[in-house]
């Protein structure tokens, strides 16, 4: 059985993470999925949330916004709609986006689609702010990003 996972997180624009990890936690559509080396192969839809992985002595975090993940016994490949490392996140912009979405939710007579889109926008902004807050908690250079 493999003792390490090769993690790749890519978006349509770029490669966000290419690292070795001993464990990966990623948001699925219906909850979080924990992956250890030797995991059974599967393909799953990624949700909105915090992807974390243990690399070396530290844990790294990525804000993940949708997509798909392929899990293999020796690796995890995430094809994300959007993904950002903590140091890349503009918390002021995320806060503004959250406030705008909350204002939409407070509007009388909004459609179900508008409410769903606003709830997703709030969740996306919350995840981005949560991951950005981890930038001050993590040790720089504790994992390979590219």
């Amino acid at each position: 059985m493999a003792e390490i996972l090769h993690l790749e997180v890519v978006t349509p624009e770029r490669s966000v993470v290419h690292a070795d990890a001993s464990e990966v936690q990623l948001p699925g559509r219906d909850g979080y999925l924990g992956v250890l080396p030797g995991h059974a192969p599967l393909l799953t839809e990624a949700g909105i949330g915090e992807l974390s992985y243990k690399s070396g002595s530290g844990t790294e975090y990525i804000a993940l916004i949708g997509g798909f993940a392929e899990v293999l016994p020796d690796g995890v490949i995430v094809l994300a709609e959007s993904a950002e490392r903590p140091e890349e996140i503009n918390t002021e912009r995320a806060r503004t986006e959250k406030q705008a979405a909350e204002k939409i939710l407070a509007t009388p007579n909004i459609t179900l689609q508008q409410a769903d889109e606003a709830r997703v926008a709030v969740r996306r902004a919350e995840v981005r702010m949560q991951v950005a807050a981890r930038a001050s908690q993590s040790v720089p250079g504790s994992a390979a990003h590219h």
Side-chain angles (χ1 to χ4, degrees):
M1 177 162 71
E3 294 183 20
I4 203 81
L5 294 166
H6 303 289
L7 173 64
E8 289 187 55
V9 179
V10 297
T11 70
E13 294 83 27
R14 67 194 181 109
S15 174
V16 179
V17 173
H18 184 83
D20 288 337
S22 59
E23 177 183 337
V24 177
Q25 297 274 333
L26 63 108
R29 197 182 82 187
D30 298 320
Y32 276 78
L33 173 68
V35 181
L36 296 171
H39 195 288
L42 75 97
L43 186 62
T44 187
E45 186 176 347
I48 297 172
E50 198 175 62
L51 179 149
S52 65
Y53 62 98
K54 291 186 179 178
S55 182
S57 62
T59 301
E60 301 291 325
Y61 299 89
I62 303 294
L64 184 69
I65 312 297
F68 293 92
E70 179 182 26
V71 175
L72 300 168
D74 64 348
V76 178
I77 300 169
V78 180
L79 306 173
E81 290 176 29
S82 174
E84 295 173 278
R85 292 188 294 267
E87 64 273 12
E88 299 171 331
I89 296 171
N90 180 330
T91 53
E92 193 53 45
R93 191 178 86 196
R95 192 172 293 110
T96 300
E97 290 168 356
K98 180 181 179 199
Q99 290 169 348
E102 287 172 336
K103 188 179 277 189
I104 291 169
L105 285 172
T107 304
N109 303 320
I110 62 171
T111 66
L112 286 175
Q113 181 178 349
Q114 289 169 323
D116 286 344
E117 290 170 357
R119 277 191 286 276
V120 167
V122 167
R123 179 70 185 130
R124 221 175 24 232
E126 288 173 344
V127 165
R128 294 178 69 234
M129 289 187 296
Q130 180 180 338
V131 170
R134 295 196 182 273
S136 61
Q137 300 169 2
S138 66
V139 177
S142 62
H145 294 295
H146 293 287

